[in-house]
Amino acid sequence: EVQLVESGGGWVQPGRSLRLSCSASGFTFDDYAMHWVRQVPGKGLEWVSSVSWDSDTVGYAGSVKGRFTISRDNAKNSLYLQMNSLRTEDTAFYYCARDPSPNLYRDYYMDVWGKGTTVTVSS
Amino acid sequence: QSALTQPASVSGSPGQSITISCTGTSSDVAGYNLVSWYQQHPGKAPNLIIYGVHDRPSGVSDRFSGSKSGYTASLTISGLQAEDEAEYFCLSYSSSTTYVFGTGTKVTVL
């Protein structure tokens, strides 16, 4: 079964850091680009970041650029999101999602999603 | 463009057809055939139901269909069933923000 499982969420104070992980199973992880998407409670979804299969190409939303870093370890079938200088407005449910292609900027949709992990930034 | 505009809620009786709209701009929906749709039941992961405006992934019911006209993409659910009660949201490529999501629509089966 194709599956993505996020972990690493929790409560953190503004200005601190948190690292999210996404464990993939049921498919060949390095055949696909990957994404992070977040959803603020009661609001819509927001694309956060993407990485190509080989980590050569990455992209970030303007709201997180310079603070968040996406990475992946194909040997461990894992995707990561290092979140630094967290702000209260980063409070959201964070999803890991798979791109149908190995490279970015081709299909522009996500074909498999995880169930997400909650990040709360508050003092 | 901060988000594509969707109606907050749409309802219908079993067996009926309903349509959910997703309105954008020339920088996203109108400019490219790169609209996808997702279904999300409470507490579950989102599920892709339409990509490339009107293509269905294998395994998705043909009761779901997508279309686009100008600035608005649409998702139609035919033969509405109780299991279709969920949140639906659209996603489009955007030349300004790369990806832009819709505001989400709650579908209620009466």
Side-chain angles (χ1 to χ4, degrees):
Chain A
E1 178 191 5
V2 173
Q3 197 170 12
L4 297 171
V5 179
E6 301 90 340
S7 61
W11 174 84
V12 63
Q13 293 179 315
R16 304 298 291 264
S17 299
L18 205 59
R19 189 196 197 205
L20 303 184
S21 299
C22 171
S23 179
S25 60
F27 64 98
T28 303
F29 185 64
D30 56 10
D31 276 351
Y32 299 89
M34 297 295 295
H35 308 273
W36 287 101
V37 176
R38 67 186 182 185
Q39 184 170 30
V40 174
K43 294 194 176 182
L45 291 148
E46 178 188 20
W47 169 68
V48 174
S49 183
S50 304
V51 60
S52 61
W53 73 277
D54 57 1
S55 303
D56 269 6
T57 307
V58 296
Y60 298 95
S63 57
V64 306
K65 200 167 189 178
R67 300 187 298 122
F68 290 11
T69 302
I70 193 171
S71 63
R72 62 189 295 162
D73 185 336
N74 289 341
K76 294 183 178 180
N77 292 335
S78 293
L79 175 72
Y80 305 102
L81 185 68
Q82 178 66 43
M83 304 185 294
N84 298 333
S85 302
L86 281 162
R87 305 168 179 169
T88 54
E89 55 263 37
D90 294 318
T91 294
F93 206 63
Y94 284 74
Y95 294 100
C96 162
R98 190 182 80 173
D99 193 283
S101 302
N103 297 304
L104 295 178
Y105 312 135
R106 199 190 85 163
D107 295 296
Y108 295 97
Y109 66 93
M110 294 112 184
D111 65 349
V112 178
W113 295 62
K115 288 187 177 181
T117 187
T118 301
V119 171
T120 303
V121 184
S122 171
S123 54
Chain B
Q1 177 74 17
S2 57
L4 306 174
T5 302
Q6 296 181 234
S9 62
V10 173
S11 62
S13 300
Q16 285 186 330
S17 292
I18 61 170
T19 297
I20 302 167
S21 60
C22 170
T23 302
T25 69
S26 57
S27 298
D28 39 67
V29 174
Y32 310 89
N33 290 324
L34 293 167
V35 177
S36 51
W37 289 89
Y38 304 83
Q39 175 193 62
Q40 186 177 28
H41 289 104
K44 301 287 189 180
N47 183 47
L48 174 70
I49 52 175
I50 294 288
Y51 65 95
V53 175
H54 52 67
D55 293 328
R56 264 189 319 274
S58 60
V60 172
S61 172
D62 59 4
R63 297 186 298 104
F64 294 94
S65 62
S67 62
K68 192 186 85 167
S69 178
Y71 294 92
T72 299
S74 298
L75 173 71
T76 298
I77 308 175
S78 306
L80 198 62
Q81 299 179 1
E83 67 206 46
D84 300 330
E85 187 161 294
E87 185 89 9
Y88 293 82
F89 53 91
C90 58
L91 167 63
S92 174
Y93 165 72
S94 166
S95 60
S96 56
T97 61
T98 309
Y99 296 89
V100 60
F101 283 93
T103 50
T105 298
K106 180 173 173 52
V107 168
T108 300
V109 181
L110 302 172

